[in-house]
Amino acid sequence: MIDRHALRQRVLAQLHEQGFSLQDGRLRWSGSVRNKAQLRAFHQLACQHQIERARKALERHEPQLLAHIANGAEIDPARIAPRLIEVQPQTSHEQLFRYARLHWSIPVSAGYGRRLRFLIWDDGHDRLMGILGLADPVFALGSRDAWIGWTTPQRRARLGNVMDAFVLGAVPPYTHLLGGKLAALAAASNEVRHAFERRYAQRITLIANRQTGPLALITTTSALGRSSIYNRLTFQGQRLFHSAGYTRGSGDFPFINGAYHDLLQLVAEESAATAKHIHWGTGFRNRREVVLKALGLLGLPRDLIYHGIAREVFVVPLASNTQAFLRGEEQQLQHYDRPFATLAAYWKQRWALPRAQRDPRYRSFVRESWRLWNPAP
């Protein structure tokens, strides 16, 4: 049995360690959402917990995984040749994807429900450039829903045509060559929506009880305040990422540290399962619900779920009539034609080569600095 008093004190201590204070039943963060260094420090505890949880599965493979990361000195920008690889379960690609996402500055989930994962690979150097992960979106997201113009019935009918990018970015040394923009371009590519259609288009959705159909929209949120990757990212004169507004500054990530396992155990011991469909499992619907139930059981205000750290929401329409389609006003999507090879060539000429000439710091990156665990003596 979980000791409620001890767990309550532990939760409060970890919130304090992350810079929160409790005022009038709400969390107040001492940092600034405009300060990226403070945001990274805020997420450090949860990130370290994720790394420790992954240690058993990945630590012994780290030398082989690191070998896929380039040293900056070996990169010839003219030879960079990006390729998009869809990650399949139970493969070395999946292992590399999991390892790479542990290096993000914010805790990255494994994604919910439907998932598509990709490696961005440099065939010119046989090294990993970046990763892209898509998963089911949340049911209600005010800024996204307002951008689409959804009513609740419309959202229920067409939410299956939306995916959320839960991780998107480059790994060093390609980060120094603006590889994050390539990862963002990849999200809008033909190859991503074709992968979705192969895997999910013919499936019957549990919410709407209809075939999903094609992918119409990708959403994502900025990780560290204002995004230098998504803002003003264009291709052939079209803006790809549109700012739809901001989140309400709520969520479970202040609790996904070492205490979450005990919160889940407490809720499992003292609350009934709430999954609404047999195919969704027999437990609880999501982490947010677990945290809310646990807060109540610990005698803490449920409003602690509101941490006040808002994120900018971006939408990536994949067709010229995405909004009308998602509202059910049109039945066929008029998809944009964006082959990944064309996007990659554009990125290389527009960003990578000019950056390499202006700023040679990418050459100083040493992959050993990316090591997560100290090698055994």
Side-chain angles (χ1 to χ4, degrees), residues 319-326 330-336:
S320 59
N321 61 338
T322 284
Q323 289 162 297
F325 174 83
L326 290 175
E330 298 186 20
Q331 302 308 309
Q332 297 294 325
L333 281 168
Q334 305 301 318
H335 277 119
Y336 298 118

Side-chain angles (χ1 to χ4, degrees), residues 190-247:
N190 294 350
E191 285 78 359
V192 166
R193 61 181 177 84
H194 290 163
F196 175 89
E197 289 161 13
R198 286 193 302 271
R199 188 174 299 187
Y200 297 117
Q202 303 306 313
R203 292 193 181 183
I204 303 298
T205 64
L206 298 179
I207 293 178
N209 193 31
R210 58 181 288 273
Q211 281 191 341
T212 300
L215 184 61
L217 183 74
I218 291 172
T219 62
T220 195
T221 55
S222 60
L224 300 170
R226 184 170 176 80
S227 171
S228 59
I229 293 177
Y230 307 142
N231 283 302
R232 299 184 301 278
L233 181 64
T234 62
F235 175 69
Q236 295 180 343
Q238 291 179 327
R239 177 168 289 192
L240 301 188
F241 284 67
H242 302 261
S243 176
Y246 289 82
T247 65

Side-chain angles (χ1 to χ4, degrees), residues 84-375:
L84 199 60
I85 301 173
E86 185 179 355
V87 173
Q88 302 298 333
Q90 307 299 316
T91 64
S92 60
H93 287 158
E94 181 181 56
Q95 191 177 65
L96 183 57
F97 183 96
R98 291 174 58 201
Y99 179 71
R101 70 180 174 86
L102 290 173
H103 293 78
W104 255 237
S105 298
I106 65 171
V108 177
S109 77
Y112 294 101
R114 303 171 303 169
R115 287 187 298 174
L116 290 171
R117 295 165 298 174
F118 300 88
L119 303 181
I120 303 172
W121 199 260
D122 179 4
D123 281 339
H125 300 87
D126 197 26
R127 294 291 186 267
L128 179 68
M129 298 184 71
I131 59 175
L132 168 64
L134 306 179
D136 270 337
V138 296
F139 183 74
L141 182 60
S143 51
R144 175 203 67 195
D145 298 349
W147 183 86
I148 295 169
W150 259 342
T151 64
T152 300
Q154 289 170 344
R155 179 177 61 199
R156 186 175 296 276
R158 291 286 168 95
L159 186 64
N161 302 97
V162 179
M163 292 285 273
D164 182 68
F166 64 90
V167 63
L168 182 166
V171 304
Y174 300 94
T175 47
H176 302 293
L177 298 175
L178 302 179
K181 290 186 180 293
L182 176 61
L185 289 168
S189 69
N190 294 350
E191 285 78 359
V192 166
R193 61 181 177 84
H194 290 163
F196 175 89
E197 289 161 13
R198 286 193 302 271
R199 188 174 299 187
Y200 297 117
Q202 303 306 313
R203 292 193 181 183
I204 303 298
T205 64
L206 298 179
I207 293 178
N209 193 31
R210 58 181 288 273
Q211 281 191 341
T212 300
L215 184 61
L217 183 74
I218 291 172
T219 62
T220 195
T221 55
S222 60
L224 300 170
R226 184 170 176 80
S227 171
S228 59
I229 293 177
Y230 307 142
N231 283 302
R232 299 184 301 278
L233 181 64
T234 62
F235 175 69
Q236 295 180 343
Q238 291 179 327
R239 177 168 289 192
L240 301 188
F241 284 67
H242 302 261
S243 176
Y246 289 82
T247 65
R248 295 176 60 194
S250 68
D252 52 54
F253 64 80
F255 303 92
I256 54 172
N257 43 46
Y260 179 77
H261 177 77
D262 289 339
L263 294 176
L264 177 59
Q265 184 177 339
L266 173 67
V267 172
E269 289 173 354
E270 305 200 25
S271 297
T274 53
K276 290 187 174 181
H277 196 290
I278 189 171
H279 294 297
W280 295 342
T282 57
F284 299 93
R285 286 177 291 184
N286 50 46
R287 279 198 315 238
R288 182 188 182 95
E289 184 182 39
V290 169
V291 170
L292 285 171
K293 286 181 176 293
L295 290 174
L297 291 168
L298 294 175
L300 293 170
R302 288 168 59 91
D303 279 353
L304 294 191
I305 203 76
Y306 294 98
H307 46 69
I309 302 175
R311 293 181 177 179
E312 191 169 6
V313 177
F314 290 89
V315 294
V316 186
L318 302 182
S320 59
N321 61 338
T322 284
Q323 289 162 297
F325 174 83
L326 290 175
R327 291 193 298 263
E329 297 165 2
E330 298 186 20
Q331 302 308 309
Q332 297 294 325
L333 281 168
Q334 305 301 318
H335 277 119
Y336 298 118
D337 184 20
R338 296 167 178 159
F340 178 74
T342 304
L343 294 168
Y346 170 67
W347 164 80
K348 184 175 177 178
Q349 294 299 320
R350 172 68 177 81
W351 285 292
L353 295 179
R355 172 56 70 93
Q357 288 185 338
R358 292 195 309 270
D359 186 353
R361 284 180 295 176
Y362 72 93
R363 296 186 58 81
S364 65
F365 174 76
V366 178
R367 63 169 163 249
E368 188 63 24
S369 66
W370 228 47
R371 183 180 289 276
L372 293 176
W373 301 285
N374 292 325

